[in-house]
Amino acid sequence: MKQLRWIWILAAAAVLLTVLFIFVDRRSKQQEEKAHVGDAKQLLQIDTEKVTDLELKNEEGTLVFTWSDTAHTWEITQGDKFNVNVYAVNAINNYACSLSSLKTVAFDCQDTDVYGFQDPTTLKIYTTDTGKDHPYIIYVGDPTPTYDAYYAMIDGSNDVYTIDYNSGTVFCSTFNSLKNRYLFDTSTSLVNYYKVEKDGETKLEMRRGSDLSWSMLQPANFALSNAAINELMNKVVRVQIDAYLEKNPEDLKQYGLDHPHTKLWLEGTLGDLELKEEIWFGDMVTSNEEETQIYGYYANSKQLFRINRAEVSFTNDDIKSVMYPYCVEPDITQLKSVEIDMGSCYDLHETLHIDYENNQYSLGDIDITAKDDENIMQLFQTFYRTIATLKFSDVNLDEEPDMEKEPAMQIIYTDLKDGKMTLDFIEKSANDFYLIKDGTYTGLTVRLNSFTGAGSVTDRYQMLLSALK
């Protein structure tokens, strides 16, 4: 009997210990869960590729950004229109779609105003899954007193969280920070119109055609250098604004923009978007003699900004910088002969006979090909090139040469069909000549050193003569 009683006592003790263990373990787990109930957790996890619209509302107003699949960029579909800083909007999208809390500071909060939610920044995320009626919504309140986080709430819950400071700052972006800092944000090859006006006078206007080549519209129809224009457009699309200042300024005069000294028109595309801007430039930002910034103004969106003057120095470039630099563009494959007569300017009157297809060349009566001399052939070809690539020196559209005057020099190109192109050089001054093409003044002038300078026509002519002797 005594042994049986001890067995019962031991069994009862085991049961009691088991019950006590279960009770203590459960209490410990509850305390642990309670201790971690406010820990960090995932608030939103959204596929960024499925986001269609972002609606941002703050004290400045409401903007809706819609993703364009064709243009591959964000467009403003509600609110004041401006050029969008795609990187800033992408940052909002990326932070929102993978939002985690740092901790929960209040459960089922009944007084959210103390955290800055009386007028919060509100971000709505619309996706292809949720449609237009059920967006994800983030509310962002004040930063924490230590400025290491922001208070935030998610629609459908009264819990208040803290989120990292970077995320909060991105969600609380000002509208200015969402504006594109590039003066004209597209690629070089997608700019198709350019016009500069100085003090009310058009200095240069040109447009790219469907064949992708550029044509000058003003001040004249000069041939253009595509390489030079590409270099210019590279500058244009890289220009960045220093800061946006004011929307709809009431007094443009204080910025020197009531009569801007320079106006710039740009057109282009970005995907299926048509881009058009009229941009004005005004006074220096301060009267300090070392000041480097000037005021600028988007005439279409009425946005005032400041910009480094050096960034837009290309508007001061002479039209010669984009022009085809040579007097004419002869095609050697279509030429029969080139005759050059420098008159009293230089003892040079020669005819170059050309048969490009059969590689047959002559200088007057001298058969260059028959010489079978590589050096002489190269010197002849170089002499031809110096004539064919004779550079003009200046543009003088407002001058009127005396067309009755005898040309001081002349070049005649004869093609395979005996058609002729005649360049006459009528004296303007002692060493400067008007360029007349087929009896019409071209608006160009040529200095004598274009013929006689080192490496030019007369220099290469003498080298050829020396080799022939």
Side-chain angles (χ1 to χ4, degrees):
M1 288 294 293
K2 183 181 283 190
Q3 289 182 343
L4 184 60
R5 184 170 58 183
W6 277 108
I7 291 172
W8 278 105
I9 290 172
L10 290 173
V15 171
L16 178 61
L17 288 173
T18 302
V19 170
L20 285 173
F21 176 79
I22 293 172
F23 175 78
V24 171
D25 183 59
R26 181 179 298 174
R27 184 178 181 83
S28 177
K29 286 182 178 179
Q30 287 174 343
Q31 289 176 341
E32 186 178 351
E33 289 174 0
K34 186 175 181 180
H36 292 283
V37 73
D39 282 358
K41 67 177 183 178
Q42 194 75 37
L43 300 179
L44 291 177
Q45 190 65 57
I46 307 168
D47 184 351
T48 56
E49 299 295 323
K50 294 185 177 182
V51 176
T52 59
D53 303 87
L54 294 170
E55 180 182 311
L56 179 65
K57 180 183 178 183
N58 59 26
E59 59 186 9
E60 296 182 75
T62 301
L63 290 174
V64 175
F65 299 95
T66 300
W67 178 256
S68 170
D69 287 324
T70 52
H72 302 291
T73 190
W74 293 98
E75 303 173 15
I76 296 178
T77 52
Q78 182 181 325
D80 285 340
K81 299 294 191 293
F82 54 77
N83 295 331
V84 177
N85 182 342
V86 176
Y87 303 104
V89 179
N90 276 338
I92 293 174
N93 187 39
N94 291 334
Y95 277 104
C97 289
S98 184
L99 183 64
S100 299
S101 67
L102 298 177
K103 64 179 180 178
T104 306
V105 296
F107 294 94
D108 194 22
C109 184
Q110 300 304 308
D111 183 14
T112 59
D113 287 359
V114 297
Y115 301 106
F117 290 102
Q118 64 273 26
D119 189 18
T121 293
T122 304
L123 177 64
K124 296 182 180 180
I125 305 105
Y126 296 87
T127 69
T128 52
D129 292 338
T130 60
K132 295 293 186 181
D133 297 326
H134 302 286
Y136 299 97
I137 305 176
I138 302 169
Y139 303 100
V140 183
D142 293 338
T144 59
T146 54
Y147 285 89
D148 59 351
Y150 272 83
Y151 296 114
M153 298 179 69
I154 300 297
D155 188 52
S157 170
N158 285 334
D159 294 346
V160 178
Y161 309 96
T162 53
I163 58 174
D164 69 276
Y165 194 80
N166 283 341
S167 296
T169 302
V170 167
F171 298 150
C172 294
S173 296
T174 65
F175 285 3
N176 273 349
S177 68
L178 297 173
K179 294 174 182 177
N180 198 325
R181 286 295 181 90
Y182 285 98
L183 189 72
F184 195 67
D185 190 17
T186 187
S187 62
T188 299
S189 61
L190 297 179
V191 182
N192 53 45
Y193 178 79
Y194 178 92
K195 178 182 175 182
V196 172
E197 184 181 283
K198 289 281 188 181
D199 298 319
E201 179 184 354
T202 299
K203 292 297 183 181
L204 175 61
E205 182 181 13
M206 53 189 182
R207 184 178 291 281
R208 190 199 297 265
S210 57
D211 61 352
L212 303 182
S213 64
W214 285 86
S215 299
M216 186 183 292
L217 307 178
Q218 292 190 69
N221 186 24
F222 290 124
L224 294 169
S225 165
N226 279 329
I229 294 175
N230 284 338
E231 184 177 345
L232 171 61
M233 295 308 149
N234 272 330
K235 295 178 183 177
V236 171
V237 300
R238 289 181 177 149
V239 173
Q240 292 194 51
I241 291 166
D242 180 69
Y244 288 97
L245 301 176
E246 185 180 352
K247 181 80 171 178
N248 295 315
E250 293 183 3
D251 182 15
L252 290 175
K253 186 176 182 180
Q254 64 176 310
Y255 307 110
L257 291 164
D258 54 332
H259 299 291
H261 56 77
T262 303
K263 290 185 178 182
L264 174 65
W265 286 263
L266 296 168
E267 294 181 14
T269 58
L270 183 63
D272 63 348
L273 291 179
E274 295 288 334
L275 306 178
K276 289 187 178 182
E277 292 292 355
E278 179 180 341
I279 308 165
W280 303 351
F281 300 105
D283 290 345
M284 303 297 293
V285 171
T286 69
S287 58
N288 189 319
E289 62 181 14
E290 296 182 359
E291 179 61 73
T292 61
Q293 295 190 332
I294 60 175
Y295 290 111
Y297 182 69
Y298 282 110
N300 297 337
S301 58
K302 304 187 185 304
Q303 174 67 59
L304 179 71
F305 60 87
R306 68 171 186 255
I307 191 170
N308 290 326
R309 179 172 57 179
E311 289 268 16
V312 291
S313 60
F314 61 83
T315 59
N316 298 317
D317 290 351
D318 191 279
I319 63 170
K320 291 185 294 183
S321 65
V322 295
M323 289 172 58
Y324 182 78
Y326 309 118
C327 294
V328 291
E329 300 179 75
D331 181 358
I332 192 173
T333 66
Q334 301 300 313
L335 286 180
K336 184 177 182 180
S337 67
V338 180
E339 182 181 354
I340 178 170
D341 183 0
M342 291 188 63
S344 61
C345 295
Y346 193 87
D347 185 17
L348 196 172
H349 184 182
E350 292 284 2
T351 300
L352 293 77
H353 299 283
I354 298 169
D355 183 353
Y356 182 82
E357 184 176 356
N358 297 303
N359 198 32
Q360 176 63 47
Y361 304 101
S362 299
L363 180 68
D365 295 331
I366 304 173
D367 190 334
I368 298 296
T369 303
K371 295 285 185 183
D372 195 24
D373 187 308
E374 184 177 344
N375 180 53
I376 290 177
M377 176 61 75
Q378 185 173 356
L379 288 170
F380 174 85
Q381 292 173 343
T382 302
F383 177 45
Y384 162 78
R385 282 197 297 272
T386 60
I387 300 171
T389 59
L390 181 71
K391 291 185 177 182
F392 71 87
S393 304
D394 213 344
V395 179
N396 292 275
L397 291 171
D398 298 329
E399 298 190 19
E400 295 182 6
D402 182 0
M403 302 298 286
E404 300 299 322
K405 203 171 184 179
E406 190 71 20
M409 296 178 288
Q410 187 178 69
I411 300 174
I412 300 173
Y413 292 91
T414 303
D415 63 29
L416 297 176
K417 296 180 180 179
D418 289 326
K420 295 184 182 298
M421 177 174 62
T422 302
L423 304 183
D424 291 323
F425 300 85
I426 295 178
E427 187 176 13
K428 175 186 176 185
S429 60
N431 294 304
D432 210 5
F433 304 87
Y434 294 110
L435 174 59
I436 313 299
K437 179 181 176 182
D438 294 333
T440 302
Y441 174 47
T442 61
L444 306 175
T445 57
V446 182
R447 295 191 182 94
L448 183 60
N449 62 9
S450 294
F451 289 90
T452 60
S456 62
V457 176
T458 58
D459 186 33
R460 298 305 178 185
Y461 177 57
Q462 288 302 327
M463 291 179 69
L464 175 60
L465 290 184
S466 296
L468 289 171
K469 288 178 182 178

